[in-house]
Amino acid sequence: MASIINSISFNNFFNYYGNHEDNTYDLEEGVNIIVADNGAGKSKFFNAFLWLFKDQILDSDDKISKSIKDVFVKIISDKAKVETPIRGTVECGIKVEYTFGTRHKFQIIKSFIATRISENITDPQSWQFTPKDVEVNKSDLVIHRYKPIYDEDEKRNIIDKLIKPSFRKYSFLQGEEVDEIIDFTKKSSIEEAVQNLTDIKKYEELVALTEYLKTRAEEDLKTQNKDSDNQNDRLEKAIEEKSNIQKNLEFEGKKLIEFQQTYNDAEHEKNELDKTYANAEKRKELDDKLKDENRKLRTVEKEYEEFLERINGRFYDGNFSWISMGFDNIVSDYKRLNDGFNEERYKKKALLEIEDSPNTYFHLMPVNSPDLVTLGSMIEKEHCYVCDRPAKKDSEPYKYIVKLRDRPKENNNKKSFVKNDLKEFFGNLQINAQPFYNKIGSIRESVNRTRSKEQELNDKIAKLKAKVKSLKDQRKDILVAGSDTENSATAIISQYQGAIKRMENSRIKIDDNLNPRIKKLKTDIKNPENEIESLSNTQNIPKGFVDNFSIAKDLSEATIKAKDRVYEKMITLLETHANKHFQQLISKNELEGGILKFEKSPSGSITFNYIDSKGNIVAGNSEGFQRMKKFSVVMAIISANTTEYNYPLLADAPISAFGEAFTEGFFEATGNVFPQSIILVKELYDVNDDMKLTKLGKRLLKDENVKTMYVNQVTPGAEQIDRVTTKIKLK
């Protein structure tokens, strides 16, 4: 019987503004995917289960788990906090519903109430925290009616039944945590996995018990030997010899433990230095990327500023003439009025000239011909304004314009035919306005192009800022994790070489000296033990003491062998399952064949290598590949279990280091191992796509193993106090 989460909902929990009905995710058995960009609720979703299991959340500011009461103000939706009046209250909580087997369904509600007591919504002193008891309800799947559970132990058992505490480290994880789940440099890590999967703990208890019984039986036998009147020198010597060997064995055993610890410490130091150096390299890589992205950001921001400065000029620049937008009717009105003006002007002029010189009056130019100033401009620009055609120098049109300009001057004594002649004024007005009214038809298109360019620059700036933030967050994660270092490369190398040297010295002591000597002592001690047992049979000693010692000795040896056999068998089984899952995980990738190999180190820990067909260790693989190896072991721990695995996988950003092929293989493999998986990912999100999915996301949407898929979004461009996570159910 497996635990299957049917739904999870949020009530004013982080960006999940509103009540449970507004923020419910219905989930199914199989693969469930929640796709979201940074800040759209992935970690908040994961934090709900962290609160459920541990009464804590992971503070994204410093990556430290903290008690709810210490960070409750951060947990409440900012929009809900703003809307809460002073002396008003807001409730924040989560609700999880899950089924176990075919009989019962459970509902778990965790929440608290906050009362606002002053203005500053982000200050914890502005709020009063009131926790509420965990509400746990149980329903029969036939009747479908929840009944409350009041017993605290039963409540805890129901919560633990969702994912058993001993298996949470394999079923409930965030991003890089998988790197820490199985640490083969620590003997305790693999032993813990074996203990979870087998009853080896009982064997260890039996080993301790039989060793105790053997020691007591041997002491009883020694006492009987000493009390016997018939004991001889051979028996005493055998007892003394065994005692000496036993002392040597204990001494060598202590030395072995010391050197194993030395080896383990040196190996741990070496691995930490590996991480330090790797993180230093990663930090440098991130710094280089940050420098490049910041440079690009500054360039685009400068381009945007210059672009904004040029926009005002486009109103008066003849190449754009934006100030003329909407003046279409004004141009036609001006032409109509100007035509009327010219017609009236020439009427008056003609009447006056006819009146003064009726016999000599004639027209050199047609009506609406330009004045001398306009003619000069036409000659200078080699263009006729009357017919709007070129008049190149020395061409016939050009010569005609010159002829018109140079016609005989009118007699200055001529009478003025109008009080104020505005022809030249209106002509200049028309000439100066020409670049503007000629552009009227294309201004809207020009404005739209400019707006598109502005949007394009804004989008570039937003994307670059998002990249810079992502890189800064990644760098902060390295620093917060305590992996930053100011040590020089030389110091790291020196420490590294020292750790390697200590490991080698310890290995020589363990493999070449202590283990052979201990093995020999264990063999040697059998001789005096057998002699003691043989001689004891010839003495006047109650047979029960002799038989008791013999049986206790055999039991001790048998249980030790049985424990070792169970451990070795489970390691072999884990290796087999790990390779099976590893092949599934890399099935979409173009990796050449190879296998995962588990080998016991001198300290008793397990070394975990990827070897090729010739047994050579393959090194230098990507971060995604290394994490994929760890995932294969996690899945092996699950599938190697002697019973069906009954718990869902809850994972936040587990594929952040994977490529597309690894990602596709991951979803396929998890569906074959876990009865239900709920995966929160950013890598399938594409902000420019209508469905907000990458091509791989769309392929997974069609995969029959993927039962539900949601896309989270936040209010675009909104400040934090207005930011709300909304969901779109695609499947």
Side-chain angles (χ1 to χ4, degrees):
M1 293 187 297
S3 298
I4 301 296
I5 298 172
N6 305 119
S7 68
I8 178 170
S9 60
F10 309 96
N11 180 17
N12 292 321
F13 185 73
F14 287 104
N15 291 349
Y16 294 101
Y17 166 78
N19 55 34
H20 289 294
E21 288 71 22
D22 299 325
N23 301 294
T24 298
Y25 291 78
D26 294 315
L27 306 167
E28 296 182 19
E29 186 173 351
V31 179
N32 302 264
I33 304 175
I34 290 91
V35 182
D37 198 5
N38 289 331
K42 296 189 310 301
S43 297
K44 281 74 174 177
F45 194 107
F46 186 84
N47 262 327
F49 288 97
L50 197 61
W51 182 14
L52 179 67
F53 293 136
K54 299 183 178 181
D55 288 320
Q56 295 178 330
I57 63 123
L58 186 68
D59 192 334
S60 59
D61 291 333
D62 53 19
K63 303 295 183 182
I64 296 174
S65 292
K66 297 178 181 177
S67 170
I68 288 292
K69 66 179 181 181
D70 294 332
V71 287
F72 75 93
V73 174
K74 287 186 177 182
I75 298 172
I76 307 169
S77 159
D78 285 326
K79 185 174 177 62
K81 285 187 288 197
V82 169
E83 293 177 355
T84 303
I86 294 178
R87 291 184 294 279
T89 62
V90 59
E91 184 172 359
C92 175
I94 60 169
K95 179 168 65 177
V96 176
E97 294 187 354
Y98 79 94
T99 54
F100 184 78
T102 58
R103 288 194 57 192
H104 296 111
K105 185 175 183 179
F106 302 97
Q107 182 187 75
I108 307 166
I109 302 173
K110 297 193 80 167
S111 61
F112 63 83
I113 293 200
T115 304
R116 185 174 177 182
I117 55 180
S118 62
E119 288 291 339
N120 190 343
I121 64 167
T122 60
D123 185 356
Q125 301 302 317
S126 299
W127 298 86
Q128 180 180 336
F129 174 73
T130 306
K132 296 181 70 175
D133 290 337
V134 179
E135 183 181 339
V136 178
N137 301 304
K138 181 178 179 180
S139 168
D140 189 289
L141 290 178
V142 177
I143 301 176
H144 295 294
R145 188 173 61 213
Y146 279 117
K147 295 181 179 179
I149 302 296
Y150 298 106
D151 183 78
E152 292 301 321
D153 290 338
E154 188 176 356
K155 285 183 179 181
R156 187 71 254 172
N157 288 336
I158 289 172
I159 294 173
D160 288 346
K161 191 182 291 185
L162 179 56
I163 300 180
K164 188 178 178 181
S166 60
F167 280 103
R168 281 180 193 159
K169 67 182 302 181
Y170 312 123
S171 244
F172 182 58
L173 50 99
Q174 272 187 309
E176 293 77 7
E177 284 185 359
V178 70
D179 299 331
E180 307 298 330
I181 292 174
I182 300 295
D183 185 353
F184 288 96
T185 65
K186 298 177 181 177
K187 187 179 179 182
S188 59
S189 181
I190 191 65
E191 285 181 342
E192 183 179 352
V194 174
Q195 286 174 2
N196 286 331
L197 297 172
T198 68
D199 52 3
I200 196 169
K201 195 72 176 176
K202 295 179 180 177
Y203 283 90
E204 291 173 349
E205 293 171 356
L206 280 174
V207 167
L209 177 61
T210 54
E211 184 63 26
Y212 169 76
L213 293 175
K214 174 188 169 185
T215 302
R216 288 294 304 270
E218 187 175 14
E219 291 296 327
D220 291 342
L221 186 59
K222 285 181 183 179
T223 301
Q224 291 297 319
N225 282 328
K226 290 179 181 178
D227 292 342
S228 174
D229 293 335
N230 299 321
Q231 63 177 301
N232 53 41
D233 292 339
R234 284 179 59 198
L235 184 59
E236 289 182 359
K237 287 180 180 179
I239 293 173
E240 184 178 357
E241 182 183 358
K242 183 190 173 183
S243 178
N244 291 333
I245 295 174
Q246 187 69 43
K247 289 178 182 177
N248 288 334
L249 193 57
E250 291 173 359
F251 178 74
E252 298 297 336
K254 289 178 181 179
K255 287 173 63 176
L256 176 63
I257 292 172
E258 290 174 0
F259 278 102
Q260 284 179 333
Q261 186 61 46
T262 300
Y263 183 96
N264 194 59
D265 292 343
E267 188 176 33
H268 182 70
E269 182 179 353
K270 178 187 84 70
N271 289 318
E272 287 300 312
L273 289 169
D274 278 337
K275 292 179 184 178
T276 300
Y277 183 75
N279 282 327
E281 287 290 303
K282 181 68 174 177
R283 192 174 68 254
K284 184 180 183 304
E285 178 186 342
L286 290 172
D287 286 342
D288 291 342
K289 288 182 179 179
L290 266 172
K291 184 177 179 181
D292 185 51
E293 295 300 329
N294 276 320
R295 178 186 58 76
K296 292 178 183 177
L297 179 60
R298 287 193 299 270
T299 300
V300 177
E301 286 180 333
K302 183 178 179 181
E303 182 183 355
Y304 182 65
E305 290 173 3
E306 292 173 351
F307 171 79
L308 291 179
E309 290 174 358
R310 292 196 301 268
I311 286 181
N312 285 339
R314 295 187 179 188
F315 283 92
Y316 306 101
D317 186 339
N319 293 318
F320 297 93
S321 307
W322 284 7
I323 198 171
S324 303
M325 187 169 70
F327 275 44
D328 310 61
N329 295 333
I330 297 297
V331 173
S332 59
D333 289 347
Y334 174 83
K335 183 178 179 182
R336 177 176 53 78
L337 292 171
N338 191 51
D339 288 346
F341 166 78
N342 284 326
E343 183 179 353
E344 187 65 27
R345 179 182 180 280
Y346 280 108
K347 278 182 183 179
K348 291 187 178 185
K349 182 180 179 182
L351 288 173
L352 181 62
E353 288 179 349
I354 292 171
E355 182 182 343
D356 289 343
S357 306
N359 297 323
T360 60
Y361 176 76
F362 63 93
H363 286 285
L364 290 176
M365 295 179 294
V367 177
N368 293 336
S369 295
D371 53 57
L372 291 175
V373 175
T374 304
L375 289 169
S377 176
M378 290 164 62
I379 292 168
E380 180 183 350
K381 295 187 177 180
E382 300 180 15
H383 191 88
C384 177
Y385 296 153
V386 176
C387 54
D388 194 20
R389 288 185 298 177
K392 297 296 181 182
K393 190 173 183 179
D394 296 330
S395 66
E396 287 302 320
Y398 181 86
K399 291 177 182 179
Y400 185 75
I401 296 172
V402 173
K403 180 180 176 182
L404 290 176
R405 184 196 64 181
D406 296 340
R407 69 186 184 278
K409 300 282 192 299
E410 291 185 2
N411 189 342
N412 289 333
N413 294 324
K414 271 191 170 185
K415 296 179 183 178
S416 174
F417 63 94
V418 290
K419 184 176 182 181
N420 293 304
D421 192 351
L422 298 177
K423 183 178 188 306
E424 186 174 332
F425 170 77
F426 288 124
N428 287 337
L429 185 65
Q430 186 172 358
I431 291 170
N432 293 330
Q434 184 182 5
F436 292 90
Y437 67 71
N438 284 342
K439 293 284 185 179
I440 287 177
S442 61
I443 290 176
R444 292 188 182 278
E445 183 182 352
S446 174
V447 171
N448 288 335
R449 285 198 305 269
T450 302
R451 179 71 182 107
S452 297
K453 179 65 175 178
E454 181 192 16
Q455 189 62 48
E456 179 186 338
L457 290 172
N458 270 323
D459 289 345
K460 282 184 179 179
I461 290 172
K463 288 179 180 179
L464 286 168
K465 284 183 175 180
K467 283 185 179 179
V468 168
K469 183 180 183 301
S470 176
L471 291 169
K472 285 181 177 179
D473 287 344
Q474 292 178 52
R475 194 182 191 283
K476 183 177 73 173
D477 289 346
I478 294 176
L479 300 180
V480 169
S483 303
D484 196 21
T485 179
E486 299 301 327
N487 291 346
S488 66
T490 304
I492 293 174
I493 291 172
S494 177
Q495 288 177 272
Y496 189 86
Q497 290 174 339
I500 293 290
K501 187 174 182 180
R502 290 196 302 277
M503 284 176 63
E504 181 60 18
N505 290 339
S506 298
R507 187 199 64 76
I508 292 172
K509 281 286 186 181
I510 293 169
D511 290 344
D512 298 347
N513 295 326
L514 291 170
N515 277 336
R517 282 156 61 182
I518 289 173
K519 184 177 180 181
K520 185 177 183 304
L521 287 169
K522 286 182 176 179
T523 302
D524 291 346
I525 203 170
K526 291 183 182 298
N527 294 327
E529 281 184 344
N530 292 335
E531 188 167 2
I532 291 170
E533 186 176 354
S534 175
L535 292 172
S536 296
N537 286 328
T538 65
Q539 305 301 316
N540 188 21
I541 297 173
K543 191 172 184 301
F545 287 96
V546 178
D547 291 343
N548 189 33
F549 171 68
S550 178
I551 293 170
K553 185 181 71 169
D554 291 342
L555 280 175
S556 177
E557 293 174 356
T559 51
I560 290 173
K561 289 178 180 178
K563 180 183 79 72
D564 292 341
R565 188 166 57 250
V566 168
Y567 186 81
E568 296 294 336
K569 183 179 179 181
M570 182 50 65
I571 295 299
T572 302
L573 185 62
L574 281 175
E575 183 180 275
T576 301
H577 280 267
N579 274 290
K580 174 185 173 183
H581 296 306
F582 183 70
Q583 295 305 317
Q584 290 178 335
L585 288 167
I586 66 172
S587 62
K588 308 296 181 181
N589 205 289
E590 297 180 355
L591 286 175
E592 295 184 4
I595 62 170
L596 302 176
K597 188 67 177 175
F598 294 6
E599 295 178 349
K600 188 177 289 187
S601 74
S603 68
S605 63
I606 301 297
T607 57
F608 177 45
N609 295 313
Y610 180 58
I611 62 175
D612 61 20
S613 58
K614 296 181 180 179
N616 300 313
I617 295 176
V618 181
N621 300 114
S622 66
E623 180 185 355
F625 182 82
Q626 299 299 332
R627 188 175 296 176
M628 191 67 80
K629 291 196 302 183
K630 292 291 185 72
F631 261 120
S632 69
V633 179
V634 171
M635 292 180 180
I637 291 171
I638 301 304
S639 58
N641 195 358
T642 54
T643 59
E644 181 183 356
Y645 190 72
N646 296 324
Y647 311 106
L649 169 67
L650 300 170
D652 174 23
I655 61 173
S656 58
F658 294 171
E660 184 173 302
F662 277 158
T663 299
E664 195 165 3
F666 170 81
F667 282 109
E668 184 175 316
T670 52
N672 294 330
V673 174
F674 294 90
Q676 181 186 43
S677 57
I678 302 168
I679 314 297
L680 304 149
V681 294
K682 178 192 77 164
E683 288 70 24
L684 303 179
Y685 184 82
D686 183 356
V687 67
N688 297 314
D689 182 75
D690 291 339
M691 295 179 70
K692 305 303 179 186
L693 289 179
T694 63
K695 291 180 179 179
L696 175 57
K698 292 177 180 178
R699 290 206 303 272
L700 289 169
L701 183 62
K702 298 176 182 178
D703 191 327
E704 61 180 12
N705 292 320
V706 177
K707 302 304 181 182
T708 70
M709 182 180 287
Y710 290 87
V711 173
N712 278 8
Q713 290 183 283
V714 292
T715 312
E719 295 184 7
Q720 181 61 37
I721 58 172
D722 295 318
R723 186 172 297 173
V724 173
T725 293
T726 57
K727 67 183 187 304
I728 302 172
K729 187 174 184 180
L730 300 178
K731 187 175 183 180

